[in-house]
């Protein structure tokens, strides 16, 4: 039997104020075409369908239409909430999408109440069990572990142990003679960041070792890290990565969806299926004259431009006129005049909240990294609306 694994669509994501909905529509259209051609038994969407927890109506319509189009290929469609999604909204729409044949899960659930979705593969008639684990925040990890695994909070260890307990509970829904899969939205220890993730919900205590999945799953479909990668484990553990470059930090990532072929008695065979619909992101350097001279070379790529000459009146306008897809224009640090406050530090406006808090801690000789980790997590939760 055959599955398609995708994740981290981030529909509604803008880049430096540029609306990318048409581009995202093209990317999802390409995924639907692949699904039609390949005739998968199931489509696994491992979280972060949206960029924000309050997506626009246009973003919601695009995602719903994509899920329905995937379902119309005849495949089972199973999707979970990521850290960018609003879990409660997913749960509210769960009954409606279930009526359309789409399995949508926002919160961790017990095995017999949606935690494991079981069906017979249309290609072979064999049983498939998919254990689903949406993104689990540190805030709700204890509650979820108590609900699903029956583990008292005072006996539960750190975040990774709570996730292990939940995974052990979900795997109790696996059956012999079936293909047993896990789909989760989380960070595996040692995984490489793609460049556009929320750091506070990806590192610090928000990671689990690949050993947490055990040897029972035939395949583990992960979302959250935007770079296509596999992790060494007793079973196949893979991130599909985002299907397009979400931010300039991801400009060198390869965009794919994964085709997974497996039987109850043979190892999973994974094939990368490339995606080409997303626009490329590119960082370029040069003088104004050099950059203008290369305009044809850049084509439709979105650009982050570093100008290798000192700032002057009209420089930005010259770049924007010649390179309308230049979304970010900066002076190369080698040519930039230092901007300081009266105290000699970089201007507050040029520093991130994390940098400002680190300076605050340094001024007060607070050297505990856990304090900065907590600040990063709380800042991320407040600004993300999750």
């Amino acid at each position: 039997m055959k599955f398609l694994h995708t994740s981290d669509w981030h529909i509604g994501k803008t880049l430096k104020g540029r609306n990318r909905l048409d581009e995202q529509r093209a990317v999802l259209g390409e995924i639907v075409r692949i699904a039609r051609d390949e005739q998968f038994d199931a489509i696994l969407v491992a979280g972060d369908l949206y960029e924000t927890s309050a997506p626009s109506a246009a973003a919601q319509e695009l995602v719903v239409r994509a899920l329905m189009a995937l379902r119309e290929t005849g495949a089972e469609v199973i999707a979970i909430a990521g850290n960018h999604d609003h879990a409660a909204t997913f749960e509210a729409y769960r009954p409606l999408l279930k009526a359309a044949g789409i399995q949508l899960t926002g919160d961790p659930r017990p095995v017999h109440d949606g935690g494991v979705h079981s069906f017979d593969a249309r290609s072979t008639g064999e049983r498939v069990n998919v254990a689903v684990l949406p993104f689990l925040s540190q805030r709700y990890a204890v509650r979820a572990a108590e609900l699903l695994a029956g583990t008292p909070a005072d006996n539960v260890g750190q975040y990774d142990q709570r996730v292990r307990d939940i995974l052990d509970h979900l795997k109790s829904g696996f059956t012999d003679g079936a293909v047993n899969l896990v789909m989760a939205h989380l960070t595996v220890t040692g995984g490489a960041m793609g460049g556009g993730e929320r750091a506070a919900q990806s590192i610090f205590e928000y990671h689990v070792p690949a050993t947490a999945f055990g040897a029972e799953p035939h395949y583990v479909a992960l979302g959250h890290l935007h770079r296509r990668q596999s992790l060494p484990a007793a079973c196949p553990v893979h991130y599909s990565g985002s299907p397009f470059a979400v931010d300039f930090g991801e400009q060198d990532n390869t965009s794919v969806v994964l085709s997974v072929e497996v039987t109850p008695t043979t190892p999973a065979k994974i094939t990368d299926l490339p995606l080409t619909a997303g626009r490329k992101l590119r960082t370029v350097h040069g003088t104004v004259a050099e950059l203008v001279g290369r305009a044809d070379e850049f084509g439709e790529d979105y650009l982050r431009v570093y100008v290798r000459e000192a700032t002057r009146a009209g420089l930005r306008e010259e770049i924007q006129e010649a390179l309308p897809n230049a979304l970010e224009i900066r002076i190369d640090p080698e040519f930039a005049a230092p901007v300081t406050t009266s105290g000699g530090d970089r201007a507050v406006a040029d520093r991130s909240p994390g940098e400002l808090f680190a300076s605050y801690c340094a001024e007060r000789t607070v050297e505990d990294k856990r304090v900065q980790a907590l600040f990063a997590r709380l800042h991320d939760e407040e600004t993300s609306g999750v």
Side-chain angles (χ1 to χ4, degrees):
M1 59 189 77
K2 190 161 62 172
F3 309 99
L4 182 147
H5 170 198
T6 180
S7 72
D8 296 279
W9 291 355
H10 289 275
I11 302 303
K13 167 71 176 179
T14 61
L15 186 58
K16 309 302 179 184
R18 185 70 61 95
N19 187 310
R20 303 179 73 185
L21 211 57
D22 286 343
E23 177 188 0
Q24 293 155 7
R25 183 176 292 106
V27 171
L28 294 188
E30 187 175 13
I31 294 174
V32 170
R33 288 192 295 274
I34 290 172
R36 289 193 186 117
D37 293 342
E38 296 288 334
Q39 289 294 292
F40 295 101
D41 290 286
I43 312 294
L44 309 177
V45 188
D48 278 356
L49 281 69
Y50 297 107
E51 167 62 15
T52 72
S53 58
S56 68
Q60 293 184 64
E61 180 183 5
L62 177 52
V63 166
V64 170
R65 286 187 179 276
L67 293 174
M68 293 179 67
L70 290 170
R71 177 58 181 153
E72 287 168 2
T73 68
E76 295 280 328
V77 177
I78 309 167
I80 58 175
N83 58 304
H84 283 247
D85 302 315
H86 194 263
T89 299
F90 274 40
E91 288 295 317
Y93 282 98
R94 176 181 169 85
L96 181 61
L97 289 180
K98 186 174 183 180
I102 299 165
Q103 305 296 323
L104 186 68
T105 305
D107 293 321
R109 287 175 162 266
V111 167
H112 299 296
D113 186 25
V116 175
H117 176 58
S118 300
F119 60 95
D120 294 328
R122 63 173 175 169
S123 61
T124 67
E126 294 168 306
R127 197 66 169 167
V128 181
N129 302 305
V130 183
V132 293
L133 180 57
F135 178 74
L136 185 64
S137 72
Q138 182 75 292
R139 184 186 305 176
Y140 295 114
V142 171
R143 188 172 73 183
E146 287 184 310
L147 175 66
L148 273 62
T151 307
D154 56 358
N155 292 331
V156 177
Q158 298 300 313
Y159 181 82
D160 68 321
Q161 184 58 54
R162 294 166 185 155
V163 172
R164 286 173 187 259
D165 292 338
I166 293 169
L167 288 170
D168 286 343
H169 165 75
L170 293 174
K171 288 189 295 182
S172 71
F174 287 173
T175 54
D176 295 334
V179 167
N180 299 306
L181 310 175
V182 171
M183 178 166 62
H185 192 90
L186 48 73
T187 302
V188 171
T189 308
M193 300 280 281
E197 303 89 346
R198 288 176 179 163
Q201 293 178 339
S202 304
I203 53 175
F204 308 128
E205 66 271 28
Y206 277 103
H207 58 87
V208 298
T211 54
F213 300 107
E216 302 93 330
H218 288 82
Y219 181 78
V220 177
L222 295 179
H224 192 35
L225 300 185
H226 294 179
R227 179 176 298 176
R228 161 72 180 109
Q229 60 194 294
S230 61
L231 283 301
C235 64
V237 176
H238 289 258
Y239 286 97
S240 65
S242 180
F244 69 101
V246 172
D247 210 333
F248 282 106
E250 302 180 10
Q251 65 181 28
D252 296 324
N253 293 354
T254 301
S255 298
V256 300
V257 293
L258 304 184
S259 172
V260 182
E261 297 183 68
V262 63
T263 77
T265 57
T266 58
K269 175 186 175 183
I270 296 90
T271 303
D272 290 15
L273 303 178
L275 298 172
T276 60
R279 293 175 72 164
K280 292 183 179 180
L281 307 186
R282 187 191 296 203
T283 299
V284 297
H285 302 256
T287 65
V288 173
E290 290 169 343
L291 292 166
V292 170
R294 297 172 61 193
D296 291 341
E297 171 194 336
F298 301 144
E300 293 299 310
D301 297 353
Y302 286 136
L303 304 177
R304 176 171 59 182
V305 176
Y306 284 89
V307 184
R308 292 186 56 78
E309 57 184 78
T311 187
R312 55 178 169 76
L315 182 149
R316 175 178 294 272
E317 288 73 15
E318 286 182 45
I319 295 291
Q320 289 177 327
E321 182 177 354
L323 305 174
N325 289 323
L327 304 188
E328 186 175 330
I329 301 172
R330 300 181 179 182
I331 299 298
D332 190 293
E334 182 182 342
F335 295 85
V339 179
T340 60
T341 63
S342 58
D345 294 326
R346 286 167 53 206
V348 170
D350 292 336
R351 304 166 72 187
S352 70
E355 290 176 317
L356 292 170
F357 186 73
S359 295
Y360 175 86
C361 290
E363 290 171 2
R364 287 156 178 76
T365 65
V366 177
E367 298 180 356
D368 191 336
K369 291 184 178 179
R370 294 173 300 174
V371 175
Q372 293 186 39
L374 177 60
F375 172 84
R377 191 178 78 226
L378 293 175
H379 176 266
D380 197 72
E381 288 179 356
E382 289 301 315
T383 56
S384 68
V386 177

